[in-house]
Amino acid sequence: MIVAISHWVGISMQGVVLAVISGAITSGLGYCMWYVAMPLLKSTQAAVVQLCVPIIAALGGVLFLSETLSLRFIIASIVILGAVLVFILNKKTV
């Protein structure tokens, strides 16, 4: 089916294969790093850290793929990072 669609849309099979391979490699590396870091974090810390992942991914798009840095992205990032900061500063000491 991909072959039939690729000729119609103008997508090359080489591009599809490279996209799948690069996606699998980057996802695999990301999961490896995450599971190395997980034992070092409490479950609540891990949950809060995961909120930063979309920001990191979007920044990667801006830096490496020339994506546009929009006001919406900046505001959303400030809100997310502000919530993470509130969590970190509000941490109760035991």
Side-chain angles (χ1 to χ4, degrees):
M1 171 140 179
I2 292 176
V3 174
I5 294 173
S6 70
H7 292 294
W8 181 58
V9 179
I11 300 171
S12 71
M13 282 305 292
Q14 180 183 9
V16 171
V17 169
L18 290 174
V20 169
I21 291 171
S22 67
I25 290 171
T26 55
S27 293
L29 289 174
Y31 278 111
C32 286
M33 290 188 309
W34 178 246
Y35 286 112
V36 166
M38 270 299 283
L40 306 173
L41 301 171
K42 295 178 185 176
S43 60
T44 53
Q45 290 172 327
V48 170
V49 168
Q50 279 188 322
L51 293 173
C52 298
V53 172
I55 298 170
I56 295 167
L59 283 175
V62 169
L63 294 174
F64 301 115
L65 302 174
S66 301
E67 293 285 335
T68 305
L69 185 63
S70 68
L71 181 61
R72 179 184 287 181
F73 169 71
I74 293 169
I75 292 171
S77 297
I78 290 170
V79 170
I80 293 169
L81 294 174
V84 170
L85 182 64
V86 167
F87 174 81
I88 291 170
L89 294 178
N90 203 18
K91 186 177 165 182
K92 295 179 183 178
T93 56
V94 178

